């Protein structure tokens, strides 16, 4: 496809995907679309790009970046929030990275981030949560956290429908449920807001499969399915049932062990085949406390959308917060890396925000295209820089022994470290 306003770099080639073999073909110089983002995205986007280029170059790789537009930059250039050619460019090039986008305030605006994830069917939102030396944390032993959350990205509340209390629509739904479905005893009198949330077998199974495959490939011990199935049996509960079905039916027993009755019984006495990944279930409310009290027991979590939202932010807080929390969205042969944080309008334009989350999101993209060497170098350089006490305001305010520097100075320090380590 030729684009109207996107400039395609002269060198480089597209990453492609062989669906039958489920394999990515990565050219020597991939073209990688990048959205710098709104608010602090304009501060951290370009400098994170420089850091990632430096790490690629230092490990013998080469990237041709292709800037694409969404949010404020798209409104200026196209007079719309999410131009079709931005979506097409990301679709065609398979891997991309984005900074945060502000959700415009006002009726009828869907989050641009959610729109991108849904349009491209990026069904798994993956957030690795690991501790970097030197990052201030409220926990006594933050280094015990080394967890990867897989959050379903296309259904549950992301595909939810709601009807406002007092509207004709809410009344129609109420009368359908009461009169035709015969549920009159559960509806309260008076005005009620009503919501529906779908959770499907296909959506649940592909997400859990992704989490189990990740655990196998990365030598993790457990995959924990986190839901609220004791209260919502046919959405949350079925997520758990379908997930356990994947574990039981799609993998050999010596590779994946579906723990029986893990919701209600300790698994200490269960005979698990050596080297097998154990797939277990936990209820979401209890999981939030175990994550803090028994942090090192958890490896990989797989969750419906809303649980994943809560749990991954809470996990991020344990290892230092939004400024350093990376993420990426995956679909079949697709990866869109993006930090957990938003556009933080009150910090925008001040060259102040922490670019680490976006830089570490780039690590996920590197790993996806098989550049593990560049990914490791980024982590080491970031960790060394933070440990040495060169940090942005968010970490500086929690440390007495660190110097607060601007976003740009911090990114330059990371690049210097990349060059030293290479
Ligand atoms: P936010 O942008 O994540 O910011 C909340 C606070 O987190 C900031 O005020 C700041 O705290 C801290 N923070 C976030 N990123 C940081 C960074 N890189 N470095 C240092 N501190 C950072 O959340 P929000 O204010 O609720 O949302 C703002 C807009 O972003 C909304 O329009 C929302 O819809 C959108 N959003 C977009 C995405 C996305 O693009 N994927 C995700 C979430 C939200 P202090 O004030 O304490 O310094």
């Amino acid at each position: 496809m030729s684009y109207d306003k996107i400039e395609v770099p002269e060198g480089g080639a597209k990453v492609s995907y062989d669906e039958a073999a489920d394999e990515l073909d990565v050219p020597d110089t991939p073209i990688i679309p990048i959205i710098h983002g709104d608010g602090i995205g304009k501060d951290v986007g370009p400098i994170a790009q420089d850091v990632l280029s430096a790490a690629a170059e230092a490990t013998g790789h080469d990237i041709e970046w292709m800037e694409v537009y969404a949010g404020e930059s798209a409104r200026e250039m196209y007079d719309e929030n999410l131009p079709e050619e931005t979506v097409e460019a990301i679709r065609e090039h398979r891997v991309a990275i984005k900074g945060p986008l502000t959700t415009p305030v006002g009726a009828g605006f869907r989050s641009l981030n959610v729109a991108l994830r849904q349009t491209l069917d990026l069904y798994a939102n993956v957030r690795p949560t690991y501790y970097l030396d030197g990052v201030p944390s409220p926990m006594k032993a933050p280094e015990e956290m080394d967890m990867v959350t897989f959050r379903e990205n296309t259904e549950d509340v992301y595909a939810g429908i709601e009807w406002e209390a007092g509207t004709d629509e809410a009344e129609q739904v109420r009368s359908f449920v009461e009169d035709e479905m015969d549920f009159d005893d559960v509806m309260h009198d008076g005005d009620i807001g009503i919501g529906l949330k779908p959770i499907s077998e296909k959506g649940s199974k592909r997400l859990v499969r992704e989490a189990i495959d990740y655990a196998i490939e990365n030598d993790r011990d457990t995959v924990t399915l986190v839901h609220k199935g004791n209260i919502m049996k046919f959405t949350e509960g079925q997520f758990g049932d379908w997930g356990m079905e994947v574990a039981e039916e799609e993998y050999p027993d010596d590779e994946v062990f579906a723990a029986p009755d893990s919701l209600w019984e300790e698994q200490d006495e269960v005979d698990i085949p050596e080297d097998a990944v154990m797939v277990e279930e936990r209820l979401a409310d209890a999981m939030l406390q175990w994550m803090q009290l028994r942090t090192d027991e958890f490896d990989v979590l797989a969750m419906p959308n809303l649980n994943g939202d809560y749990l991954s932010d809470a996990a991020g807080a344990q290892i230092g917060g939004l400024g350093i929390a990376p993420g990426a969205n995956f679909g079949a042969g697709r990866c869109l890396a993006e930090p957990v944080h938003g556009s933080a309008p009150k910090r925008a334009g001040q060259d102040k925000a922490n670019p680490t989350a976006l830089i570490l999101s780039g690590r996920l993209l590197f790993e996806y295209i098989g550049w593990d060497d560049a990914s490791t170098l980024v982590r080491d350089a970031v960790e060394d820089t933070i440990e040495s006490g060169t940090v942005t305001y968010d970490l500086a305010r929690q440390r007495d022994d660190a110097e607060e520097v601007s976003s740009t100075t911090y990114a330059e320090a990371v690049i210097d470290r990349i060059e030293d380590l290479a």
Side-chain angles (χ1 to χ4, degrees):
M1 175 179 176
S2 67
Y3 305 110
D4 180 20
K5 298 200 165 100
I6 296 172
E7 273 184 45
V8 181
E10 305 234 317
K14 287 177 200 162
V15 171
S16 58
Y17 174 62
D18 177 344
E19 198 175 337
D22 188 23
E23 268 175 22
L24 225 50
D25 185 9
V26 181
D28 288 342
T29 305
I31 297 175
I32 300 185
I34 182 165
I35 296 172
H36 289 149
D38 299 334
I40 57 167
K42 289 200 269 189
D43 300 308
V44 300
I47 57 180
Q49 179 180 331
D50 290 344
V51 171
L52 296 173
S53 294
E57 196 183 321
T59 45
H61 304 293
D62 190 23
I63 302 170
E64 282 286 355
W65 297 102
M66 180 169 81
E67 189 172 357
V68 301
Y69 308 93
E72 191 184 322
S73 62
R75 285 195 292 282
E76 282 162 12
M77 293 177 71
Y78 302 79
D79 203 20
E80 58 180 311
N81 284 309
L82 186 58
E84 182 56 29
E85 66 175 21
T86 293
V87 178
E88 273 318 303
I90 296 174
R91 197 193 304 277
E92 275 191 57
H93 290 80
R94 297 257 157 212
V95 294
I97 184 164
K98 68 173 276 291
L101 295 172
T102 303
T103 303
V105 179
F109 280 116
R110 202 158 59 121
S111 155
L112 300 177
N113 308 295
V114 177
L116 263 174
R117 294 171 194 168
Q118 286 187 328
T119 312
L120 296 169
D121 199 22
L122 299 165
Y123 58 83
N125 180 256
V126 179
R127 295 177 173 175
T129 314
Y130 50 88
Y131 181 67
L132 294 173
D133 283 339
V135 174
S137 159
M139 309 305 284
K140 281 190 184 152
E143 66 285 353
E144 287 186 358
M145 171 70 77
D146 183 9
M147 209 174 72
V148 184
T149 57
F150 282 72
R151 170 191 179 200
E152 207 292 326
N153 229 358
T154 62
E155 44 189 46
D156 188 12
V157 293
Y158 264 9
I161 311 170
E162 290 189 311
W163 294 276
E164 191 179 351
T167 60
D168 289 347
E169 290 82 2
E171 274 315 301
Q172 279 175 31
V173 179
R174 181 221 284 266
S175 65
F176 174 74
V177 172
E178 284 183 352
D179 303 339
E180 300 199 28
M181 303 296 284
D182 212 12
F183 276 114
D184 54 321
D185 54 336
V186 293
M187 292 290 202
H188 291 274
D189 290 337
D191 283 347
I192 49 170
I194 304 176
L196 268 185
K197 64 171 204 173
I199 289 188
S200 73
E201 177 173 3
K202 177 184 167 191
S204 304
K205 284 191 165 177
R206 67 182 179 175
L207 189 269
V208 173
R209 206 173 285 127
E210 200 80 28
I212 294 176
D213 289 345
Y214 176 91
I216 294 170
E217 279 158 28
N218 292 278
D219 290 328
R220 297 291 191 141
D221 293 334
T222 58
V223 172
T224 308
L225 312 180
V226 185
H227 56 78
K228 195 67 187 140
N230 56 331
I231 302 297
M232 288 168 279
K233 295 187 173 49
F234 305 125
T235 48
E236 301 271 333
Q238 286 210 283
F239 174 87
D241 295 344
W242 286 320
M244 288 312 251
E245 264 174 46
V246 171
E248 279 163 4
E249 294 170 8
E250 299 185 16
Y251 298 86
D253 289 349
D254 57 356
E255 194 171 38
V256 173
F257 178 79
D261 307 319
S262 52
L263 267 184
W264 313 115
E265 286 171 23
E266 280 293 342
Q267 299 300 296
D268 301 351
E269 305 297 316
V270 177
D271 195 15
I272 300 163
E274 205 180 346
D275 298 333
V277 172
M278 179 172 81
V279 179
E280 57 171 9
E281 293 176 84
R282 293 276 181 251
L283 295 179
D285 45 349
M287 185 63 211
L288 273 160
Q289 58 126 6
W290 283 322
M291 211 167 67
Q292 295 179 57
L293 300 177
R294 291 158 48 180
T295 309
D296 61 351
E297 289 181 21
F298 300 99
D299 273 328
V300 176
L301 306 188
M303 297 165 280
N305 188 276
L306 186 60
N307 297 334
D309 202 10
Y310 298 149
L311 268 289
S312 61
D313 270 31
Q318 286 184 229
I319 47 91
L322 285 177
I324 60 155
N329 306 290
F330 296 98
R334 295 190 190 289
C335 165
L336 175 62
E338 63 170 332
V340 175
H341 67 73
S343 57
K346 69 179 174 185
R347 307 289 179 198
Q350 299 164 34
D351 196 16
K352 210 173 151 66
N354 193 344
T356 304
L358 187 53
I359 294 169
L360 296 180
S361 301
R363 289 189 65 212
L364 292 164
L365 186 152
F366 283 164
E367 284 164 19
Y368 191 68
I369 59 175
W371 294 3
D372 290 1
D373 47 1
S375 166
T376 304
L377 184 57
V378 170
R379 179 188 168 136
D380 291 348
V382 164
E383 193 163 38
D384 282 5
T385 308
I386 293 174
E387 216 179 348
S388 75
T390 303
V391 294
T392 45
Y393 81 98
D394 52 324
L395 304 189
R397 69 186 168 192
Q398 301 173 70
R399 276 176 61 171
D400 298 330
D401 59 340
E403 182 198 359
E404 177 182 332
V405 297
S406 68
S407 321
T408 308
T409 305
Y410 169 80
E412 285 166 355
V414 177
I415 292 175
D416 286 347
R417 200 66 199 122
I418 285 174
E419 287 164 0
D420 291 347
L421 290 169

